[in-house]
C-alpha cells in the first residue's frame, strides 16, 4: 500500500500534524482504518500526540466506536491517561472507554488497559464532573469493568459528585 511504501522509505515525518493537529495515526484511528494504523505503528510514531481538540489517536478510536482498533493502540503502548498539560479535569482514554459501552470488545479493551496500568493513582484521576473511571463504571452499571478497576486498585472511597463515593453508588 501507499502508506506502507512511505513508511518503508522514511519515518522522519511520521509525527507531522495538519492544520487540525492531526497526525496520520490520529486520522487513521478516527476513521477506523485498522490496516493503515497497523502499518503506521511499524514506523513507531508518537501515539500520545493531542490534536487541536485535545484528543489522542486512542481517544478518537474509542469515541468513534473503533474498539478493536483501540485495543491495538493500547497493545502498542498508547497512553491511557494522557491529558493536556495543566488540565487536571480532562477525560482520559480510560474514562472514555468506560463511557463507550459494555460489550465484550469494550470489556476486552478495559482489561488490556488494566494490564498496561502501572501507576495505581492514575486509575483515580477525576474528570470535570468529579468522577473517576470507577465511579463512571458503577454509575453506568458496568459491573465487569468496575470489578477490573477495583482488582487493579481503583479507590472506591474517593469523593465524587455530591460527596458520593463509588461504594455508596454501588450500594444504591
Amino acid at each position: 500500500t501507499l502508506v506502507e511504501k512511505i513508511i518503508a522509505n522514511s519515518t522522519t515525518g511520521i509525527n507531522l500534524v495538519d492544520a487540525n493537529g492531526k497526525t496520520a495515526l490520529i486520522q487513521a484511528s478516527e476513521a477506523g482504518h485498522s490496516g493503515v494504523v497497523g502499518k503506521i505503528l511499524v514506523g513507531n510514531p508518537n501515539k500520545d500526540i493531542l490534536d487541536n481538540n485535545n484528543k489522542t489517536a486512542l481517544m478518537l478510536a474509542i469515541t468513534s466506536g473503533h474498539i478493536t482498533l483501540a485495543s491495538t493502540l493500547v497493545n502498542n503502548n498508547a497512553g491511557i491517561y494522557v491529558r493536556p498539560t495543566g488540565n487536571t479535569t480532562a477525560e482520559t482514554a480510560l474514562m472514555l472507554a468506560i463511557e463507550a459501552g459494555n460489550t465484550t470488545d469494550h470489556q476486552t479493551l478495559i482489561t488490556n488497559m488494566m494490564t498496561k496500568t502501572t501507576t495505581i493513582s492514575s486509575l483515580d484521576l477525576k474528570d470535570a464532573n468529579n468522577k473517576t473511571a470507577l465511579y463512571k463504571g458503577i454509575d453506568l452499571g458496568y459491573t465487569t469493568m468496575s470489578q477490573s478497576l477495583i482488582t487493579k486498585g481503583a479507590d472506591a472511597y474517593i469523593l465524587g459528585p455530591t460527596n458520593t463515593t463509588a461504594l455508596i453508588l454501588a450500594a444504591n
Side-chain angles (χ1 to χ4, degrees), residues 20-167:
N20 297 311
K22 294 183 186 293
T23 63
L25 180 63
I26 291 173
Q27 291 281 11
S29 298
E30 185 174 23
H33 299 310
S34 300
V36 174
V37 167
K39 289 170 178 49
I40 294 169
L41 288 171
V42 169
N44 196 28
N46 179 341
K47 295 158 218 62
D48 298 333
I49 291 174
L50 293 160
D51 69 8
N52 293 353
N53 292 315
N54 292 318
K55 302 292 183 211
T56 64
L58 175 58
M59 292 172 175
L60 289 167
I62 292 167
T63 58
S64 298
H66 310 301
I67 304 307
T68 303
L69 192 151
S71 283
T72 298
L73 291 167
V74 169
N75 291 337
N76 281 274
N77 300 313
I80 59 178
Y81 302 110
V82 176
R83 288 179 160 173
T85 303
N87 186 337
T88 60
T89 59
E91 286 191 302
T92 64
L94 175 62
M95 292 174 185
L96 294 171
I98 293 285
E99 293 173 339
N102 195 25
T103 67
T104 302
D105 286 343
H106 289 92
Q107 291 171 7
T108 300
L109 174 60
I110 298 299
T111 300
N112 288 347
M113 288 179 159
M114 292 302 93
T115 62
K116 299 290 183 180
T117 298
T118 55
T119 308
I120 302 306
S121 62
S122 297
L123 285 172
D124 299 325
L125 296 173
K126 293 181 178 183
D127 69 6
N129 296 314
N130 213 24
K131 294 180 180 181
T132 64
L134 177 59
Y135 192 99
K136 287 174 183 258
I138 291 171
D139 195 29
L140 292 166
Y142 298 164
T143 304
T144 303
M145 289 182 189
S146 299
Q147 288 173 343
S148 294
L149 294 168
I150 292 166
T151 299
K152 192 62 181 183
D155 189 342
Y157 301 109
I158 293 176
L159 293 177
T162 65
N163 288 332
T164 304
T165 66
L167 173 62

